[in-house]
């Protein structure tokens, strides 16, 4: 396997359990450039350098004092295929040497701030060491996900065997940049019931679809509709940081969306789609017509049958408000987690330093046995037990008892009683596609929307992506699969946008996901 442009080969699954890397401000060398263990991915749009490209003439408002210039090393300090994090005084940059040429760009991955010097350099691209985002070293462009932003690049020259970097101070501080986007050229009337593109959902697939359309020059109206009350946010962090706020989680602000003419309608639940009239009807009665439609509604919690499921202290973790309530109710109290999904287990881990006790009730005897295998599952289980978490089997449960609208305890068949001041259901999820009944869209027996390799459904002009779809997976001979990963949703959003623009391109990426528990991470690449 090679850089981001090479043809993908059949991929073996790689599971890694390791300490969570903490970013260190160290001028350390990376390993020699090895082939990336992650995705072979394709070019993400044109090789535009963005506004922070120092190789272009400076516009009048860029004054010399806005820039810093520093000699960072001797020309022989770096071998080919090596990277070094260097200090310019006003900030740090990543210096790279490949094929005898030097280049420099931002040193932090814009996704979660990982130190790219610890990543992999291969064929003109750098892979993030944490989650596998891929950046072109010549342009700084993000070419494989996760994440939304690209990196600034800086001018490099060699004088008298000294490597000198010239960089914009603001770019050194921000360590990220957005690709240029077009604006809507149409006169927008928000009361008009028509949009050239309607996007249902506000997760990564939806947001990347909207941004890609603008990056690729789409100048008509885009409306994104979501059941959420907040602008797009990083839902993956909810189960890991229960005290976090929606503002801390947000992926894009309302100002950013407005600046790029991406209209966002919050608390809008789609209840029906009419493909004949090309219209979407919402719960509040609003009806909008579209020319192109992208469905990215994600998943919803798997329903469970138990008495008292409407009690106030039982939660399906979906929103920042849910997470905050769980943290508050569990403080020095007793928490019960039903289900050993990744969300359930992450919540259990997050509660161990808050709750008096944490009990996990699972269907499998070993968590993640089906997904990751018994060996990895047992290692994770021991990690939890070492932190005081108790495990029980679902078939051990006799009843769940509540009083006055609150769950109080879970009684096991052995007679043991588990106190439950708060209960979190983490038993997996199902696609949120119930509103598509009688729509004419092909939905399989499990509720997944069937799409082709360009994310097109069986209906012209209607696309879908993210958790809700089964799609042809190239590394597995185009077998139809569902891969509900945060990273894959980004890929789907871009593929759908390009398809809408008549620039369809086959997806070339390797699925990747991660989980974090007790300061350790699980990183999983492959299918």
């Amino acid at each position: 396997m090679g850089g981001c442009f090479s043809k993908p080969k059949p991929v073996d699954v790689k599971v890694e359990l390791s300490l969570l890397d903490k970013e260190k401000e160290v001028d350390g060398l990376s390993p020699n450039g090895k082939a990336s263990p992650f995705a072979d991915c394709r070019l993400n749009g044109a090789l535009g350098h963005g506004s922070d490209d120092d190789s272009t003439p400076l516009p009048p408002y860029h004054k010399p004092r806005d820039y810093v210039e520093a000699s960072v090393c001797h020309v022989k300090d770096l071998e080919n295929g090596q990277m070094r994090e260097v200090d310019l005084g006003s900030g740090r940059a990543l210096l790279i040497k490949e094929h005898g040429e030097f280049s420099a760009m931002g040193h932090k991955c814009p996704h979660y701030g990982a130190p790219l010097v610890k990543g992999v350099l291969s064929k003109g691209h750098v892979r993030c060491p944490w989650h596998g985002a891929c950046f072109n070293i010549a342009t700084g462009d993000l070419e494989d996900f996760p994440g939304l932003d690209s990196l600034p690049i800086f001018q490099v020259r060699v004088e008298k065997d000294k490597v000198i970097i010239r960089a914009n101070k603001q770019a050194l501080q921000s360590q990220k940049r957005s690709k240029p986007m077009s604006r809507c050229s149409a006169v927008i009337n928000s009361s008009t019931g028509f949009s050239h593109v309607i996007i249902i959902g506000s997760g990564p697939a939806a947001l990347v679809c909207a941004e890609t359309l603008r990056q690729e020059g789409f100048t008509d109206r885009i409306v994104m509709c979501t059941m959420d009350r907040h602008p797009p946010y990083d839902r993956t962090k909810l189960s890991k940081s229960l005290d976090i706020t929606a503002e801390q989680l947000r992926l894009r602000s309302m100002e950013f969306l407005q600046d790029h003419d991406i209209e966002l309608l919050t608390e809008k639940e789609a209840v029906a789609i009419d493909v004949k009239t090309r219209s979407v009807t919402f719960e509040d009665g609003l009806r909008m017509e579209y020319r192109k439609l992208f469905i990215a509604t994600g998943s919803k919690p798997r329903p469970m049958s138990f008495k008292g499921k409407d009690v106030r202290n039982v939660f399906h973790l979906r929103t920042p408000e849910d997470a905050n309530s769980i943290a508050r109710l569990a403080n020095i109290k007793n928490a019960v987690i039903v289900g050993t999904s990744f969300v359930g287990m992450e919540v259990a881990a997050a509660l161990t330093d808050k709750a008096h006790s944490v009990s996990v009730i699972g269907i499998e005897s070993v968590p993640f046995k089906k997904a990751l295998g018994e060996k990895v599952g047992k290692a994770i289980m021991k990690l939890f037990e070492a932190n005081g978490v108790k495990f029980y089997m679902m078939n051990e449960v006799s009843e769940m008892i509540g009083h006055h609208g609150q769950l109080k305890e879970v009684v096991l068949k052995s007679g043991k009683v588990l106190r439950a001041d708060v209960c979190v259901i983490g038993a997996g999820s199902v696609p949120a596609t119930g509103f598509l009944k009688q729509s004419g869209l092909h939905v399989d027996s499990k509720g997944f929307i069937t799409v082709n390799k360009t994310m097109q459904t069986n209906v012209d002009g209607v696309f879908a992506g993210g958790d809700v779809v089964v799609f042809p997976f190239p590394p597995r001979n185009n077998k139809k699969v569902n891969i509900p990963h945060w990273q894959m949703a980004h890929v789907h959003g871009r593929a759908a946008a390009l398809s809408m623009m008549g620039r369809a391109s086959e997806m070339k990426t390797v699925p990747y996901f991660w989980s974090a528990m007790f300061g350790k991470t699980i990183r999983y690449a492959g299918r």
Side-chain angles (χ1 to χ4, degrees):
M1 298 178 71
C4 290
F5 300 131
S6 48
K7 182 179 180 181
K9 301 175 182 178
V11 179
D12 293 326
V13 168
K14 175 182 176 181
V15 181
E16 173 187 308
L17 180 63
S18 64
L19 286 175
L20 179 64
D21 292 319
K22 298 296 183 182
E23 184 177 338
K24 297 178 181 179
E25 299 291 336
V26 177
D27 285 350
L29 290 177
S30 73
N32 276 321
K34 298 178 181 178
S36 168
F38 304 112
D40 290 337
C41 62
R42 62 182 170 75
L43 179 63
N44 184 7
L47 294 178
H49 288 203
S51 58
D52 292 312
D53 177 8
D54 289 335
S55 65
T56 56
L58 295 179
Y61 53 83
H62 279 299
K63 300 176 182 178
R65 66 173 177 267
D66 295 334
Y67 286 76
V68 62
E69 190 171 285
S71 173
V72 294
C73 69
H74 190 274
V75 71
K76 293 183 178 180
D77 285 348
L78 261 69
E79 299 291 336
N80 277 322
Q82 289 187 324
M83 302 184 288
R84 171 176 286 185
E85 194 176 297
V86 295
D87 193 344
L88 277 69
S90 298
R92 303 175 81 84
L94 184 69
L95 179 65
I96 301 163
K97 187 176 183 181
E98 193 173 44
H99 306 306
E101 297 291 331
F102 287 94
S103 57
M105 62 185 187
H107 72 99
K108 289 183 182 180
C109 178
H111 180 225
Y112 278 8
L116 293 174
V117 71
K118 294 185 178 182
V120 177
L121 172 64
S122 179
K123 297 184 179 179
H125 298 83
V126 173
R127 282 275 177 191
C128 172
W130 288 359
H131 308 124
C134 181
F135 301 92
N136 186 304
I137 66 173
T139 67
D141 281 353
L142 173 69
E143 293 188 357
D144 198 16
F145 303 100
L148 297 169
D149 291 313
S150 296
L151 292 168
I153 61 170
F154 310 120
Q155 191 179 71
V156 184
R157 71 180 190 274
V158 176
E159 287 184 1
K160 298 180 180 179
D161 292 334
K162 295 291 184 181
V163 180
I164 299 168
I165 298 178
R166 183 175 186 273
N168 179 278
K169 292 179 181 179
Q170 184 177 351
L172 279 174
Q173 292 299 313
S174 70
Q175 290 290 317
K176 63 182 180 180
R177 64 172 176 83
S178 298
K179 290 184 179 180
M181 298 188 200
S182 60
R183 298 291 302 269
C184 181
S185 61
V187 177
I188 298 176
N189 182 346
S190 59
S191 63
T192 301
F194 170 78
S195 177
H196 292 84
V197 173
I198 293 179
I199 299 172
I200 306 177
S202 62
L207 185 56
V208 170
C209 179
E211 291 197 17
T212 301
L213 286 170
R214 289 289 184 239
Q215 290 165 4
E216 295 294 320
F218 185 78
T219 57
D220 286 317
R221 190 182 185 192
I222 300 173
V223 175
M224 186 161 57
C225 312
T226 176
M227 290 175 59
D228 270 305
R229 59 187 294 188
H230 305 289
Y233 60 90
D234 188 344
R235 196 184 297 273
T236 66
K237 291 183 179 179
L238 282 179
S239 51
K240 303 174 184 70
S241 303
L242 297 168
D243 292 317
I244 204 163
T245 65
E247 184 171 310
Q248 292 170 319
L249 291 169
R250 72 183 181 188
L251 297 171
R252 295 299 196 201
S253 66
M254 286 298 295
E255 290 75 20
F256 180 95
L257 299 177
Q258 290 166 0
D259 286 346
H260 298 94
D261 290 334
I262 299 171
E263 297 176 61
L264 177 67
L265 303 181
T266 57
E267 298 181 274
K268 289 287 182 186
E269 180 180 1
V271 294
I273 291 174
D274 188 330
V275 297
K276 293 181 179 178
T277 61
R278 295 200 171 203
S279 64
V280 181
T281 302
F282 297 90
E283 189 178 35
D284 61 2
L286 175 67
R287 179 179 175 274
M288 291 193 71
E289 296 180 0
Y290 61 84
R291 189 165 295 163
K292 303 286 185 182
L293 174 67
F294 183 52
I295 303 168
T297 44
S299 56
K300 61 181 182 180
R302 186 181 301 278
M304 290 189 65
S305 298
F306 62 92
K307 294 181 180 179
K309 60 183 177 181
D310 294 325
V311 291
R312 293 188 297 274
N313 60 336
V314 176
F315 295 89
H316 291 283
L317 179 57
R318 295 293 297 165
T319 67
E321 290 76 20
D322 290 338
N324 298 164
S325 295
I326 291 167
R328 177 175 50 83
L329 292 172
N331 189 38
I332 323 179
K333 296 292 182 67
N334 305 283
V336 173
I337 313 299
V338 180
T340 52
S341 67
F342 281 98
V343 170
M345 294 291 281
E346 287 171 359
V347 170
L351 288 177
T352 54
D353 64 350
K354 299 179 184 295
H356 173 69
S357 69
V358 179
S359 302
V360 174
I361 301 172
I363 297 174
E364 297 178 312
S365 58
V366 176
F368 309 135
K369 181 178 179 180
K370 184 177 179 181
L372 303 178
E374 189 168 3
K375 184 177 181 181
V376 174
K378 283 184 175 180
I380 295 169
M381 190 173 183
K382 287 181 180 178
L383 180 63
F384 274 76
E385 290 173 336
N387 283 274
V389 177
K390 302 293 185 182
F391 285 88
Y392 304 91
M393 290 286 290
M394 191 73 77
N395 58 16
E396 295 180 65
V397 176
S398 174
E399 60 180 332
M400 301 175 76
I401 299 174
H403 298 290
H404 306 296
Q406 295 224 53
L407 179 68
K408 292 295 184 182
E409 53 194 33
V410 178
V411 181
L412 305 181
K413 292 178 181 177
S414 64
K416 183 178 178 63
V417 176
L418 306 179
R419 291 290 306 277
D421 297 297
V422 62
C423 178
V424 181
I425 308 298
S429 59
V430 294
T433 54
F435 70 103
L436 297 178
K437 293 178 180 178
Q438 285 85 48
S439 67
L441 292 175
H442 185 268
V443 178
D444 71 11
S445 59
K446 295 182 179 180
F448 295 109
I449 305 168
T450 302
V451 297
N452 63 18
K453 63 183 180 180
T454 65
M455 314 315 293
Q456 170 87 47
T457 69
N458 63 304
V459 176
D460 183 51
V462 180
F463 303 79
D467 293 6
V468 296
V469 302
V470 287
F471 65 99
F473 186 45
R476 288 290 179 263
N477 297 317
N478 290 319
K479 178 183 177 181
K480 289 287 183 74
V481 298
N482 170 254
I483 304 179
H485 297 173
W486 186 256
Q487 168 258 2
M488 187 57 71
H490 290 69
V491 176
H492 287 176
R494 177 163 178 79
L498 292 175
S499 187
M500 289 180 191
M501 299 276 292
R503 303 171 192 171
S505 178
E506 187 174 304
M507 290 180 291
K508 295 179 181 178
T509 190
V510 173
Y512 185 90
F513 86 93
W514 68 93
S515 182
M517 306 164 190
F518 302 112
K520 296 182 183 290
T521 60
I522 300 168
R523 298 168 184 168
Y524 184 111
R527 165 62 180 167

